[in-house]
Amino acid sequence: MNAYSDALSLIGRIFLSVIFLVSGFGKIGGFEGLVGAIASKGFPMPQAFAAATIVIELGVALMLVVGWKARWAAFLIAAFTAIVTFFFHNFWGYPADQKFMQ
């Protein structure tokens, strides 16, 4: 049962990590757009926030994949997602036809 549980845990960590790996690598290619989005929200030093966002998404995703400090990584990605959702994906403030994308 333990080997089965370990395998399922690995699969779950990989699936969760893929979301943030794809997002993080996508942000590298669209760095200027990310900086613009951050600046449009009035944050200071948008380049630094953009770089930190990429580092967090890729770093925490890799931590999850390899299983190093996986519980801390899961906590960090949950906190990061909650903060980013509040500032950048506040679906409650969009018109009904745009809520799905948020």
Side-chain angles (χ1 to χ4, degrees):
M1 184 66 173
N2 195 20
Y4 182 71
S5 177
D6 289 345
L8 287 177
S9 177
L10 174 61
I11 291 168
R13 290 193 326 261
I14 290 171
F15 282 157
L16 181 61
S17 295
V18 166
I19 297 166
F20 294 99
L21 287 171
V22 169
S23 179
F25 281 117
K27 284 177 176 67
I28 292 172
F31 188 76
E32 290 304 319
L34 177 61
V35 170
I38 292 170
S40 75
K41 298 292 183 174
F43 284 92
M45 303 183 311
Q47 293 89 356
F49 274 104
T53 297
I54 293 168
V55 168
I56 290 168
E57 286 188 356
L58 295 179
V60 173
L62 292 174
M63 288 172 64
L64 283 172
V65 168
V66 299
W68 185 71
K69 304 282 187 185
R71 289 181 191 221
W72 279 103
F75 172 77
L76 289 173
I77 206 69
F80 172 78
T81 301
I83 292 166
V84 169
T85 298
F86 182 75
F87 288 105
F88 293 97
H89 299 285
N90 52 343
F91 65 90
W92 54 88
Y94 284 85
D97 61 333
Q98 294 179 7
K99 285 186 179 184
F100 180 74
M101 290 306 295
Q102 294 301 319

